[in-house]
Amino acid sequence: MPTESTFFLAGLFLLLAAAGWALGRFGERDEEEGAPPPLNVDYLKGLNFLLNEQTDQALEHFLKMVRVDDKTIETHFALGSLFRRRGEVDRAIRIHQNIIARPDLAAEQKDQALFSLAKDYLRAGLLDRAENVCVRLANGSRYQVEALEQLCRIYELEHEWQKAIDAGQKLEVLSGRSLELEIAHYYCELAEQAIANKDYRAARAYVKKAQSGRPRTMRGALTRAGIARDTNDTKTALRLYHRIIDESNYLITEALPQLVDIYDRENATDKLERNLENLLAKHPEIKNDVAYTAIVNQIDGVKVIDNCVEDYMMNEPTLTDFIDMQTIEDANGQHRAAALKKVRAALSKLASTTPRYQCKECGFSSQQLLWQCPSCKYWETQRPFTSVRFDSVLQRTTPAP
Ligand SMILES: [Zn+2]
């Protein structure tokens, strides 16, 4: 089936014929004025390839026929961009390389062609090549800002965090735009790499840099709390985890399991109970988050948390549609506890297979907290669901109509 680009090329061939380019300008004009010029062989060959839907060959003939000059360069750029948009990246690369090969190309047009080529490489997943071209453009061209933006994106994909920081800082200076949040996350990534290598000193230094910017990301505090926990600095770890929940309630999903674990290790569950009671008195709106976090992480045996879970189960609208929760509520002691335990175990199982976080920008959902959304690429836009996603379970089990 002919593609959009086939039609575009066909249109170009027709335009060339109509303008007399193929027959006059690009053919040998040795006839007298007014006499019919000879047919251009490349033009006919190109048309023939198009009619047979051999777009690659047609493109080669188009490039051979139409030299890049001031009058045709925009057509070349338009065709290159069309091919890239269609996902025909090899063809886009061929066109942009053809433009760059022109010996007398103006510097501005060369930069434009190089930047187009970088976008082609990026689209094709050829990160090294895209990086090389962008580094060249970032060192002095009218595409400096755009090239630095692409470099940040490339370094994020390559996990080259120090290079991403350098490009981000240059970009801030040139564009006048703050990238402090992105750069803070780049430092947190470096800190996490250092933690993986058990280099806690380097990790602390990176976190410090991550937390020096504004707005501050709580990821820095979470990473620092993790370092304190791993190095048995219990006091610092507890202080930080409490602060994280207090300042960014939604991160209770990450901090609560750690808190329960540390208090448990310290045999200080009564202290945890008191602290959680105070927290819920201050932020009653996070009861569901506490309950859902406990269900997902199978935390039980802490009275304040168990109460939140029970309240959650009694009031979960989809759950009460399926189970007669009131009968369970009215049952006596042992039966009630056994029934609730069963429901809780079932919920825990469901929660382990349904998404827990969703990006507030694009709606992408995942099981784990992802600091950079893989879909829209924004940082720190994921928020936790506060209940089991029954809709996603039902979607999976409902056969297609
Ligand atoms: Zn997103």
Side-chain angles (χ1 to χ4, degrees):
M1 203 177 148
T3 62
E4 188 188 332
S5 45
T6 312
F7 287 123
F8 193 86
L9 264 177
L12 283 171
F13 275 93
L14 289 172
L15 269 175
L16 289 171
W21 285 0
L23 304 179
R25 181 178 178 152
F26 299 104
E28 290 299 316
R29 188 186 275 273
D30 51 5
E31 299 292 323
E32 290 292 311
E33 200 65 36
L39 282 177
N40 181 293
V41 177
D42 279 322
Y43 172 75
L44 290 176
K45 268 191 188 170
L47 261 191
N48 193 39
F49 283 132
L50 271 175
L51 292 171
N52 290 315
E53 291 176 32
Q54 291 169 278
T55 319
D56 277 331
Q57 287 89 335
L59 176 64
E60 284 308 317
H61 278 269
F62 169 77
L63 295 178
K64 211 188 275 182
M65 265 177 6
V66 186
R67 287 192 308 268
V68 178
D69 63 25
D70 291 344
K71 291 197 179 79
T72 63
I73 195 159
E74 286 311 318
T75 310
H76 282 81
F77 276 122
L79 194 58
S81 149
L82 173 83
F83 278 131
R84 189 192 323 113
R85 280 207 315 276
R86 299 277 310 164
E88 299 170 62
V89 191
D90 287 350
R91 291 173 183 155
I93 291 172
R94 177 78 188 83
I95 288 175
H96 293 130
Q97 283 174 337
N98 186 58
I99 298 175
I100 294 164
R102 183 186 158 187
D104 56 343
L105 195 66
E108 199 171 290
Q109 289 171 331
K110 189 163 190 172
D111 287 349
Q112 186 183 351
L114 280 170
F115 187 58
S116 301
L117 192 60
K119 287 201 273 190
D120 299 337
Y121 287 147
L122 202 56
R123 179 78 194 264
L126 302 167
L127 298 184
D128 285 357
R129 290 190 196 183
E131 180 186 340
N132 287 340
V133 178
C134 286
V135 165
R136 182 173 160 185
L137 289 169
N139 282 333
S141 75
R142 60 181 283 235
Y143 289 90
Q144 263 184 310
V145 168
E146 291 89 341
L148 284 166
E149 282 168 352
Q150 296 289 1
L151 278 176
C152 286
R153 165 112 183 70
I154 292 166
Y155 295 139
E156 283 171 5
L157 289 167
E158 291 177 332
H159 292 192
E160 289 275 10
W161 303 113
Q162 187 56 57
K163 285 184 178 177
I165 292 166
D166 296 341
Q169 286 171 340
K170 270 189 206 162
L171 184 56
E172 280 191 316
V173 174
L174 279 174
S175 68
R177 186 159 53 89
S178 168
L179 271 95
E180 284 191 288
L181 183 70
E182 287 83 350
I183 291 172
H185 279 283
Y186 298 159
Y187 277 121
C188 287
E189 294 284 349
L190 283 173
E192 283 173 13
Q193 282 179 354
I195 292 170
N197 294 327
K198 302 220 177 310
D199 185 353
Y200 294 109
R201 205 169 142 200
R204 278 190 206 99
Y206 286 132
V207 169
K208 207 170 174 186
K209 286 184 177 172
Q211 290 184 302
S212 65
R214 293 282 179 280
R216 267 168 61 160
T217 166
M218 288 312 277
R219 183 186 181 182
L222 209 51
T223 312
R224 179 73 187 83
I227 296 171
R229 178 203 57 207
D230 290 355
T231 53
N232 296 319
D233 182 359
T234 308
K235 207 174 145 194
T236 307
L238 287 177
R239 180 175 55 77
L240 287 169
Y241 282 126
H242 277 297
R243 204 190 91 204
I244 290 161
I245 297 175
D246 203 35
E247 287 184 29
S248 288
N249 294 169
Y250 82 91
L251 283 175
I252 194 163
T253 52
E254 300 296 309
L256 185 66
Q258 303 298 337
L259 275 179
V260 173
D261 193 44
I262 295 171
Y263 279 114
D264 199 36
R265 264 193 288 160
E266 296 287 301
N267 285 322
T269 315
D270 51 334
K271 212 170 165 190
L272 171 67
E273 298 265 12
R274 275 200 309 279
N275 285 332
L276 283 179
E277 270 167 17
N278 291 338
L279 176 77
L280 290 170
K282 195 173 163 190
H283 301 288
E285 71 280 4
I286 62 167
K287 271 188 168 183
N288 263 10
D289 302 75
V290 171
Y292 189 50
T293 304
I295 288 168
V296 172
N297 294 283
Q298 299 178 14
I299 299 168
D300 60 8
V302 182
K303 206 165 156 265
V304 189
I305 299 177
D306 287 346
N307 288 342
C308 291
V309 173
E310 261 188 46
D311 281 354
Y312 169 80
M313 291 196 291
M314 290 301 168
N315 296 303
E316 215 302 317
T318 314
L319 196 60
T320 45
D321 278 351
F322 285 106
I323 302 166
D324 184 359
M325 294 303 287
Q326 198 52 52
T327 308
I328 294 178
E329 176 74 345
D330 295 341
N332 55 19
Q334 236 180 353
H335 285 109
R336 182 175 179 276
L340 284 174
K341 205 175 166 187
K342 241 179 173 173
V343 175
R344 187 170 169 162
L347 278 179
S348 182
K349 218 171 178 181
L350 274 181
S352 67
T353 62
T354 54
R356 289 187 58 204
Y357 294 91
Q358 186 171 45
C359 172
K360 59 183 180 176
E361 291 296 326
C362 73
F364 179 88
S365 58
S366 61
Q367 267 275 312
Q368 305 294 323
L369 171 63
L370 304 170
W371 291 106
Q372 185 181 29
C373 173
S375 176
C376 67
K377 311 293 177 198
Y378 284 121
W379 289 90
E380 218 171 314
T381 49
Q382 278 205 325
R383 294 293 178 270
F385 287 117
T386 53
S387 59
V388 176
R389 302 301 299 166
F390 284 102
D391 50 352
S392 116
V393 179
L394 292 171
Q395 265 168 22
R396 276 207 312 265
T397 51
T398 309

